[in-house]
Amino acid sequence: CRLGGLRLEADDLKGGEALFRQAVARRPDNVEAAFRLADSLERQGRDADCLAAYDRVFELDPERPEAHFNVALIHLRRGEYAEAWPGYEYRFDCPDGPSRLSPAAPWDGRAFAGHLLVHCEQGFGDALQFVRYLALARSRVERLTLLSPVSLAALLATCPGLDAVVTPADELPDFDLHVPLLSLPGIFATTLDSIPAQVPYLWPPRPAAGKLEQALKAGDGIKVGLCWSGNAENPVNRLRTCPVELLAPLAGRFGLNFFGLTLTAPPADLEVLAETGAFVDLAPHLESFADTAAALAALDLVISTDTSVPHLAGALGCPTWLLLHNTADWRWQE
């Protein structure tokens, strides 16, 4: 299994699969080998083979949380939401899963005359995408407060359905029930046909000002925001990075002016784009998500890889093009 894991880390998915199959053949009752084999198949996008492999994992360990969660992700990617939501709740029991706010059982969706606390639990993009459910939750409770990351608080406060926003820096208010934000789609039995689709559901808390406003005035023609990479410290950032050499030739053509939205861009990337003469790096002027929202609202189009930027652009109702890996995250329905 260890050698197979090294193969996966090196992106040799077929090699990892072969080694895990050897491990399973030698020790058919080894649940770890069975689990790693299923994981290697999932990374290759071989859903049918992967689900069959997870059946064997469940025979050996019916309650393994990572297996339930991973199977849920497969169902989500395939648009099989009804089958996915129960398993998605296993995320809290996974070794690298989000933390529970309280040991008390979360809200189950029933209407009650009291105060509901909804808490963000995963990445910034998740919060930006799923706050669309707050209005649905608010219709069933008397008061709703969102526990938000500090950097998102001002922006998320513009979302319909909220009575208040607090951050980890604040003292938590008294509340009657709580619920994790990403449990709301399951609570409302979301299907592909019932995803809340009214946009915008967020608005820039303030307009672009100062140096950001001046930077956005550069160039004539079509203003295109460009985010070609996420956080460089993310171990899978390579899967959401597009080489700038593929994008730079478009700058200046057809009246296109690029405005950089990548916050941690390598200097070499910025040099390549700057040489086009039709690129302005906005990153030095983006001190918060409120600034990013103001910038997106001033652009004609956003082109981005799988980062928080397209989640925000979609929430604001900005025209957006996505550059996705061939095994894209389920949130993009691809």
Side-chain angles (χ1 to χ4, degrees):
C1 280
R2 186 173 299 176
L3 288 176
L6 292 174
R7 291 287 190 182
L8 294 188
E9 289 178 10
D11 286 335
D12 181 6
L13 303 182
K14 288 287 188 180
E17 176 194 346
L19 288 168
F20 292 133
R21 288 194 182 279
Q22 291 179 28
V24 168
R26 290 173 182 170
R27 298 180 61 187
D29 294 334
N30 186 321
V31 66
E32 184 62 26
F35 177 80
R36 297 305 301 276
L37 172 60
D39 179 49
S40 69
L41 294 168
E42 191 277 332
R43 296 190 190 199
Q44 296 176 59
R46 293 163 56 186
D47 290 349
D49 293 337
C50 179
L51 291 173
Y54 273 122
D55 286 340
R56 177 55 180 163
V57 175
F58 292 132
E59 290 176 4
L60 298 172
D61 185 358
E63 291 301 319
R64 185 170 181 126
E66 307 99 301
H68 282 282
F69 180 63
N70 288 351
V71 168
L73 294 180
I74 294 172
H75 285 306
L76 287 169
R77 190 169 65 243
R78 291 159 59 127
E80 299 162 351
Y81 288 179
E83 295 88 342
W85 299 128
Y88 194 65
E89 291 304 300
Y90 277 85
R91 66 193 183 278
F92 295 103
D93 300 315
C94 295
D96 298 325
S99 300
R100 298 181 188 273
L101 176 70
S102 166
W107 180 58
D108 62 5
R110 284 179 287 188
F112 75 101
H115 187 184
L116 177 66
L117 179 69
V118 181
H119 53 97
C120 299
E121 49 165 292
Q122 298 187 38
F124 295 135
D126 299 284
L128 292 166
Q129 180 175 5
F130 290 97
V131 290
R132 68 180 70 190
Y133 280 88
L134 295 182
L136 291 175
R138 180 63 178 81
S139 69
R140 299 186 182 182
V141 304
E142 187 175 297
R143 182 174 175 79
L144 189 150
T145 294
L146 178 68
L147 176 58
S148 162
V150 173
S151 58
L152 282 174
L155 175 63
L156 297 187
T158 69
C159 185
L162 273 172
D163 293 296
V165 176
V166 296
T167 75
D170 303 317
E171 182 177 350
L172 276 183
D174 292 333
F175 60 91
D176 299 296
L177 293 173
H178 73 94
V179 67
L181 179 61
L182 271 72
S183 291
L184 293 179
I187 285 174
F188 290 102
T190 301
T191 66
L192 285 173
D193 296 326
S194 65
I195 298 170
Q198 183 173 346
V199 292
Y201 57 86
L202 293 176
W203 291 264
R206 56 180 181 268
K211 293 182 179 179
L212 175 59
E213 181 182 21
Q214 293 302 312
L216 285 164
K217 292 180 179 178
D220 298 319
I222 303 172
K223 298 180 183 295
V224 179
L226 193 63
C227 184
W228 61 94
S229 178
N231 186 342
E233 296 181 0
N234 189 311
V236 294
N237 192 54
R238 67 186 185 283
L239 303 181
R240 52 181 192 166
T241 298
C242 179
V244 293
E245 290 78 9
L246 299 178
L247 300 168
L250 298 174
R253 299 188 63 189
F254 314 109
L256 298 180
N257 293 277
F258 284 156
F259 292 80
L261 301 169
T262 299
L263 296 182
T264 57
D269 285 2
L270 296 177
E271 290 177 9
V272 170
L273 290 167
E275 289 174 357
T276 67
F279 174 77
V280 176
D281 186 21
L282 297 182
H285 314 304
L286 301 178
E287 298 180 358
S288 67
F289 275 96
D291 291 332
T292 303
L296 297 182
L299 298 170
D300 299 306
L301 174 69
V302 175
I303 300 176
S304 179
T305 58
D306 181 1
T307 71
S308 61
V309 167
H311 286 295
L312 175 55
L316 297 170
C318 302
T320 304
W321 292 358
L322 274 170
L323 306 174
L324 294 177
H325 188 260
N326 63 330
T327 54
D329 187 90
W330 67 270
R331 294 163 182 81
W332 302 118
Q333 298 180 30
E334 292 292 337

